[in-house]
Amino acid sequence: MLVAFILAAVVIKYKEIFSFLGLNGNLLKGFGAAVICTLPLYLVFPFYGNFNTELTFQVLYDKCILTGFKEELVFRAFMFGMLFRYARTGFFWAVILPALYFASVHLYQGHDVLSSLAAFGVTFIGALYFSWMYVEWNFNIWVPVGLHMLMNGAWHVFTMEGTEVAAGGLISNIVRVVSIALAVGLTVYVRRKRGGKVFDYPVWKF
């Protein structure tokens, strides 16, 4: 995070760093949207799993709160932001490199080649999803931060098949897809209500 701030300060005007990184976005709106979108996880998981009785605040802080914040700040706000917002690269090209890097740091979660590739694939898609939400919610970093924290939280608060790794299991992935679909629907609704439309920006521009 420190490197991200330093490099951003080199490229962006010092007074505009927080704005560029999306940290000046509406925190309540960001987490409010995230709560609505991740609600399926917290409604379904208790029926198919159990509460993690071994969960400690330290683990919750390290794996959910801190990880959710720092990964979104570095991969979305900084890396993706530099390409998309500063270099004006189209969304597709701007998101690829940060998504590949983001997914690669989760390869360790697999115990063999297949499970490592599964973790890579799921987190790669997650990077695309978080980046899209970041853009569509007017670069309010608290939206992807909230989504990331609460998704990670569900994986640690409950114990069920697949929640020990990012790749997840059958039920957890079905609910995760429902959560993402809900987020997409809410985003489209909000954008249209404000008179805008999704993907109202360059996508393939290199």
Side-chain angles (χ1 to χ4, degrees):
M1 289 192 296
L2 181 60
V3 172
F5 274 109
I6 293 174
L7 292 177
V10 173
V11 180
I12 309 299
K13 292 181 180 179
Y14 179 76
K15 293 182 179 180
E16 298 178 359
I17 293 177
F18 272 68
S19 175
F20 177 78
L21 295 175
L23 293 168
N24 65 336
N26 191 314
L27 189 146
L28 291 179
K29 182 183 292 185
F31 274 88
V35 168
I36 293 173
C37 297
T38 57
L39 195 57
L41 299 172
Y42 291 87
L43 292 177
V44 175
F45 277 23
F47 289 96
Y48 290 92
N50 300 297
F51 284 97
N52 184 3
T53 56
E54 298 181 0
L55 180 66
T56 64
F57 176 76
Q58 187 63 45
V59 171
L60 192 66
Y61 174 76
D62 289 340
K63 301 295 185 180
C64 305
I65 299 174
L66 182 59
T67 296
F69 176 71
K70 71 181 182 181
E71 289 188 348
E72 291 310 307
L73 183 71
V74 173
F75 292 105
R76 247 63 66 191
F78 176 67
M79 290 184 67
F80 171 74
M82 277 293 180
L83 293 168
F84 187 76
R85 303 188 69 185
Y86 182 76
R88 305 292 183 183
T89 306
F91 180 84
F92 176 81
W93 300 107
V95 77
I96 289 298
L97 182 60
L100 288 172
Y101 187 21
F102 178 71
S104 68
V105 300
H106 291 83
L107 283 169
Y108 75 93
Q109 294 190 3
H111 56 272
D112 54 29
V113 174
L114 187 60
S115 59
S116 293
L117 289 176
F120 181 91
V122 168
T123 49
F124 179 83
I125 294 172
L128 303 182
Y129 167 57
F130 291 138
S131 298
W132 183 77
M133 292 292 287
Y134 179 47
V135 174
E136 297 294 348
W137 287 85
N138 297 320
F139 303 104
N140 182 351
I141 195 61
W142 302 115
V143 174
V145 165
L147 289 169
H148 201 147
M149 286 183 179
L150 291 172
M151 280 185 156
N152 280 14
W155 252 244
H156 287 86
V157 171
F158 304 101
T159 57
M160 56 184 291
E161 181 187 0
T163 55
E164 69 277 1
V165 292
L170 177 60
I171 299 299
S172 57
N173 277 321
I174 290 175
V175 183
R176 178 156 50 185
V177 170
V178 171
S179 174
I180 293 174
L182 177 60
V184 171
L186 177 64
T187 301
V188 172
Y189 170 77
V190 172
R191 292 285 288 177
R192 289 183 175 177
K193 188 176 181 180
R194 294 175 178 174
K197 61 180 182 179
V198 297
F199 287 111
D200 189 21
Y201 42 81
V203 176
W204 304 105
K205 177 184 176 183
F206 186 70

